[in-house]
Amino acid sequence: YQSRIRSAIESGAKDLTGADIVHAVIGGGIAGMEELQSSLQEPAFEEAVDLLFHADTVWLMASRRSFAISTYLAYALQHTDKRVQHITAMGNMQDGQLRGLRPGDVMVAISFAPYAPETESIVAEAHARGARIICITDSSLSPMARFAQTSILVNETSVFGFRALTNTMAVVQSLFMALAYRLELQ
């Protein structure tokens, strides 16, 4: 992170105030949200909602900066009747946490370049065990996308070398809201 800040300073951003930084981050978030709104692949999103709707158990896997997003989704899904399993990898015990996964369960995996190898490993194992995978990632060439029934592609903006999570959070909140809506209609 220190090198990212140094790069920003070396590129001419030497006299920024805290307000300048927050406005740059907000502006990047707005630009990213506008791009997401125009590029969202609605069929992939609808398929993800359908997979979640029909799942008895939903597994969540994300590491590093994406972990905050999976944590929010775990919190939100606990307000439904779905069984929710959040793989935290605490103590590097993600393989043991995956032990209860059954064929037909759904896993939501979130990872962006550079892709977390622990997420990729868990997704491959979940797929081998018969789980249906929803991948939230930045490219159809993501290592996890090959295992996915559907991939929701999300690109985040970067300000001073720091990538946002704004778009990803909006997608995950929308997934939950669309699922909750369908469950309530039922």
Side-chain angles (χ1 to χ4, degrees):
Y1 290 130
Q2 189 176 34
S3 67
R4 293 178 191 177
I5 295 295
R6 285 184 180 159
S7 292
I9 291 169
E10 290 168 5
S11 69
K14 290 183 181 181
D15 297 322
L16 295 175
T17 66
D20 292 335
I21 292 171
V22 73
H23 285 292
V25 171
I26 291 168
I30 291 168
M33 293 291 278
E34 288 174 346
E35 191 276 328
L36 176 64
Q37 189 170 34
S38 67
S39 67
L40 182 69
Q41 297 171 329
E42 292 173 11
F45 185 86
E46 293 294 343
E47 186 174 359
V49 174
D50 195 57
L51 286 167
L52 291 171
F53 180 76
H54 289 100
D56 289 324
T57 304
V58 178
W59 293 78
L60 306 170
M61 179 61 195
S63 299
R64 303 176 192 169
R65 76 181 190 96
S66 301
F67 185 75
I69 303 295
S70 66
T71 300
Y72 170 80
L73 189 54
Y75 161 76
L77 288 171
Q78 289 172 6
H79 292 89
T80 70
D81 289 337
K82 303 290 178 185
R83 287 189 296 270
V84 180
Q85 297 292 327
H86 188 203
I87 299 176
T88 63
M90 186 177 288
N92 203 27
M93 294 186 286
Q94 59 268 24
D95 294 328
Q97 287 183 292
L98 192 63
R99 196 166 286 144
L101 186 137
R102 301 288 179 252
D105 287 353
V106 170
M107 175 174 283
V108 178
I110 308 165
S111 190
F112 302 93
Y115 307 100
E118 51 275 82
T119 302
E120 182 181 353
S121 165
I122 288 296
V123 167
E125 180 64 25
H127 179 263
R129 291 180 181 211
R132 294 168 292 166
I133 310 294
I134 298 168
C135 186
I136 300 174
T137 190
D138 55 358
S139 170
S140 59
L141 300 176
S142 162
M144 291 152 306
R146 67 179 176 211
F147 299 113
Q149 274 61 47
T150 190
S151 293
I152 301 172
L153 302 182
V154 179
N155 289 303
E156 293 285 1
T157 57
S158 177
V159 177
F160 304 122
F162 292 88
R163 287 176 293 164
L165 288 172
T166 311
N167 293 356
T168 310
M169 183 60 85
V171 164
V172 166
Q173 287 177 316
S174 299
L175 271 176
F176 168 72
M177 292 168 64
L179 172 63
Y181 179 79
R182 280 193 59 190
L183 290 170
E184 194 60 32
L185 287 176
Q186 181 185 28

